[in-house]
Amino acid sequence: MLAWLSENLGTIIVSLILIAVVSTVIVKMVKDKKHRKSSCGCGCENCAMHGKCHK
């Protein structure tokens, strides 16, 4: 078991970092959705879908 861990330590660390980053992004997106923030930074005034995606 320890041999397997030592052989794959780099892969395990990189995987944990990627999982943490993806989780952080998902949590941020859910939080923004709850606070009705747009995912685009330009605002809805100039959007072609103005009034369609947000009520």
Side-chain angles (χ1 to χ4, degrees):
M1 181 71 174
L2 289 176
W4 181 84
L5 280 174
S6 64
E7 290 173 359
N8 295 306
L9 189 61
T11 303
I12 293 169
I13 291 172
V14 170
S15 297
L16 290 174
I17 291 171
L18 286 174
I19 289 170
V21 168
V22 169
S23 298
T24 303
V25 169
I26 290 172
V27 167
K28 172 86 168 104
M29 289 174 67
V30 169
K31 226 182 245 191
D32 285 349
K33 180 82 170 169
K34 284 184 180 179
H35 290 110
R36 297 189 181 262
K37 291 184 180 176
S38 177
S39 61
C40 65
C42 61
C44 290
E45 306 81 50
N46 301 322
C47 181
M49 294 293 291
H50 177 70
K52 304 286 185 204
C53 60
H54 301 290
K55 293 181 181 180

